[in-house]
Amino acid sequence: MNLQSNSEKVGISFDVHKIREDFPILKTKVRGKPLVYFDNAATTQKPRQVIERIKKYYEEENSNVHRGVHFLSEVATREYEAARETIRKFINAESTEEIIFTKGTTEAINLIANSFGKTFINENDEIIISEMEHHSNIVPWQLLREERKAIINVIPFDDNGDLILDDFEKIFNERTKLVSIVHVSNSLGTVNPIKKIIEIAHSFAVPVLIDGAQSIMHNKIDVQDLGCDFFVFSGHKIYGPTGIGVLYGKRDLLEQMKPYQGGGDMIRSVTFQKTTYNDLPYKFEAGTPNIEGAIGLMASIEYLNGIGIDQIASYENELLNYATEKISQIPQVKIIGTAKEKGPIISFVLENIHPHDIGTILDYEGIALRTGHHCTQPVMEHFKIPATTRASFSFYNTKEEIDLLIQGIQKVIKVFS
Ligand code: PLP
């Protein structure tokens, strides 16, 4: 893709208008207005390359994987495994055995809570999470807590949304079995210092799970450089299909962990007396997988590689800075989440106006925002608010769209004044 253009140069050669051509849905009109899609943290739009790759799979390659000797089954298996290799390279895992396909981030965390949990966590063992976790990184641990009588410790954050790590080392003891932490908060935008967290946890020989649902599409992820033991993300947040996600796990841990689900593909042999399990990664992939999803995810990663994740990160950072500056100029707005380092997410509240009213009025301007607790009720509780309005940006968004958002917010204030 040629990114040389003068249309929107943001310190780098990045032709956002050309990129937008790849996303058919961005041409949609909403209530007669051009769609402004700022709900990217909830899910991203799909480029034509992904849509067409999925279509090709169903038109030319559809078959079940791993179980057939016939031509189509071999093609489907080859493409499914090529997807695994594409993901391995993308996050720099050592081996494809460490790449397990799941339904998404939520299923990946549940898999770890069930499998790692049942293998390694016993009564009074401790798990560390943070106050800014998505519910999907809270509830699976609570379910485990109920079952195993384990203990959950929570790292707090300050009013900017930065984790308070001063006492982090003090939480560890010989019963600490896992740290499970979000990389980028979906409601505050905070980028957590995960490398430091991993280093500290490892100094106590405690493994670390990183919830990368909001970081995988904005940052270069190198799991070996990070040293994390698990890293999880969802395909649909990285311009791929829904219903597919990835669990990266270090091989030695995965090998020790019990299977999560039983069924086809995850076994080596079955008798009524005894079943032996398949090798990694298949041990954790029971049943027919989401073949189309894996192949679509491969296409989305190839698409992002074509642009360059560093280019994407710089441009999205420009959008974040631009939007933060503009929104901060509106006196009635309070930004929730002003951490030192942020992903392209702005949550805000407007004095005396409920976020759902803001979202509804802006929807009439064609602007798609998310309002609510964003599956982070403890974050809302911290700020004593019921909800926020959240704008989350992607590399296909423009500064002109941010200007429309600012005009929209001013309109909301006018309506309610
Ligand atoms: N973790 C974070 C930080 C998220 O933002 C989300 C989704 O918004 C999830 C986990 C859950 O992802 P999914 O619903 O794709 O499983």
Side-chain angles (χ1 to χ4, degrees):
M1 187 184 306
N2 176 17
L3 297 172
Q4 300 293 327
S5 159
N6 293 324
S7 46
E8 180 135 356
K9 278 202 162 184
V10 203
I12 46 170
S13 305
F14 193 88
D15 185 348
V16 66
H17 298 291
K18 191 156 191 299
I19 281 171
R20 289 175 69 84
E21 291 293 312
D22 290 334
F23 292 82
I25 207 167
L26 297 180
K27 293 199 168 67
T28 306
K29 290 238 156 98
V30 173
R31 306 183 198 287
K33 306 257 171 73
L35 168 69
V36 174
Y37 188 76
F38 283 154
D39 196 16
N40 295 289
T43 200
T44 51
Q45 299 302 345
K46 317 306 167 198
R48 201 183 305 279
Q49 289 81 343
V50 169
I51 299 165
E52 280 169 7
R53 185 64 191 86
I54 294 169
K55 185 164 170 274
K56 178 173 169 8
Y57 168 71
Y58 278 119
E59 287 182 352
E60 299 173 26
E61 301 166 343
N62 177 45
S63 181
N64 211 332
V65 289
H66 297 146
R67 287 170 216 164
V69 288
H70 64 82
F71 176 78
L72 278 184
S73 182
E74 280 178 10
V75 172
T77 304
R78 187 189 67 216
E79 294 305 309
Y80 181 70
E81 292 304 328
R84 203 189 301 275
E85 168 59 15
T86 302
I87 291 154
R88 183 204 65 74
K89 254 202 205 141
F90 188 60
I91 61 171
N92 193 31
E94 200 178 311
S95 155
T96 48
E97 292 171 9
E98 299 177 320
I99 305 294
I100 292 153
F101 286 116
T102 66
K103 274 195 310 197
T105 305
T106 304
E107 193 187 42
I109 298 175
N110 275 279
L111 188 161
I112 299 164
N114 273 273
S115 172
F116 178 93
K118 284 179 187 158
T119 310
F120 294 114
I121 296 179
N122 297 304
E123 195 169 331
N124 290 328
D125 282 345
E126 300 185 7
I127 301 145
I128 301 174
I129 60 173
S130 87
E131 194 186 358
M132 65 175 80
E133 298 310 316
H134 188 279
H135 295 164
S136 62
N137 198 21
I138 301 174
V139 185
W141 306 114
Q142 291 175 328
L143 291 170
L144 185 70
R145 176 173 67 185
E146 272 171 37
E147 209 183 298
R148 295 268 148 161
K149 299 195 173 59
I151 294 161
I152 298 173
N153 285 318
V154 180
I155 314 169
F157 61 78
D158 64 21
D159 290 345
N160 294 323
D162 280 311
L163 283 181
I164 302 172
L165 289 169
D166 305 345
D167 292 331
F168 184 48
E169 272 113 332
K170 294 192 194 133
I171 316 177
F172 288 84
N173 60 53
E174 68 287 354
R175 302 223 63 105
T176 310
K177 290 291 153 64
L178 185 74
V179 175
S180 187
I181 194 118
V182 70
H183 191 179
V184 175
S185 156
N186 64 308
S187 53
L188 299 168
T190 308
V191 180
N192 285 318
I194 53 165
K195 210 163 173 184
K196 184 174 158 199
I197 290 170
I198 293 164
E199 268 169 32
I200 295 172
H202 283 179
S203 72
F204 292 93
V206 172
V208 182
L209 157 58
I210 301 295
D211 172 355
Q214 296 294 342
S215 64
I216 188 77
M217 63 296 222
H218 302 302
N219 302 78
K220 172 74 197 129
I221 299 297
D222 181 332
V223 290
Q224 291 190 71
D225 179 54
L226 284 172
C228 55
D229 301 273
F230 301 106
F231 188 98
V232 297
F233 66 91
S234 302
H236 70 100
K237 294 193 197 276
I238 184 172
Y239 310 95
T242 48
I244 187 80
V246 172
L247 156 59
Y248 157 80
K250 277 189 184 155
R251 189 207 314 236
D252 61 328
L253 274 175
L254 293 174
E255 270 169 354
Q256 293 175 65
M257 285 160 50
K258 291 178 186 152
Y260 171 49
Q261 293 180 328
D265 250 17
M266 54 74 72
I267 54 89
R268 184 168 296 138
S269 75
V270 177
T271 68
F272 286 111
Q273 286 71 39
K274 184 174 165 56
T275 290
T276 54
Y277 305 125
N278 205 342
D279 295 331
L280 291 173
Y282 312 111
K283 181 174 116 181
F284 290 105
E285 291 183 4
T288 298
N290 183 350
I291 307 163
E292 153 224 324
I295 292 172
L297 178 56
M298 166 166 67
S300 74
I301 289 175
E302 283 166 352
Y303 178 79
L304 294 183
N305 283 338
I307 300 172
I309 202 85
D310 293 338
Q311 298 257 53
I312 288 172
S314 315
Y315 179 68
E316 288 173 345
N317 204 36
E318 287 276 345
L319 290 181
L320 173 70
N321 291 341
Y322 182 77
T324 306
E325 194 191 317
K326 292 271 169 174
I327 291 185
S328 304
Q329 285 164 11
I330 307 174
Q332 294 89 338
V333 169
K334 179 167 185 248
I335 295 179
I336 303 293
T338 49
K340 289 188 232 26
E341 227 191 296
K342 281 187 68 177
I345 289 172
I346 300 182
S347 267
F348 63 94
V349 289
L350 277 179
E351 264 167 34
N352 302 324
I353 308 175
H354 196 281
H356 292 320
D357 293 328
I358 303 170
T360 306
I361 293 176
L362 288 172
D363 180 49
Y364 276 86
E365 300 299 314
I367 302 173
L369 298 166
R370 185 137 302 237
T371 59
H373 53 64
H374 317 293
C375 295
T376 56
Q377 284 184 356
V379 172
M380 302 300 122
E381 173 61 26
H382 179 107
F383 290 100
K384 304 279 175 256
I385 48 176
T388 72
T389 304
R390 181 184 72 189
S392 49
F393 310 113
S394 158
F395 60 88
Y396 47 59
N397 290 129
T398 65
K399 288 184 179 174
E400 294 86 56
E401 289 182 314
I402 291 171
D403 293 340
L404 289 173
L405 171 65
I406 301 299
Q407 286 165 28
I409 295 173
Q410 275 154 349
K411 191 167 179 180
V412 173
I413 293 169
K414 212 164 156 196
V415 168
F416 279 88
S417 65

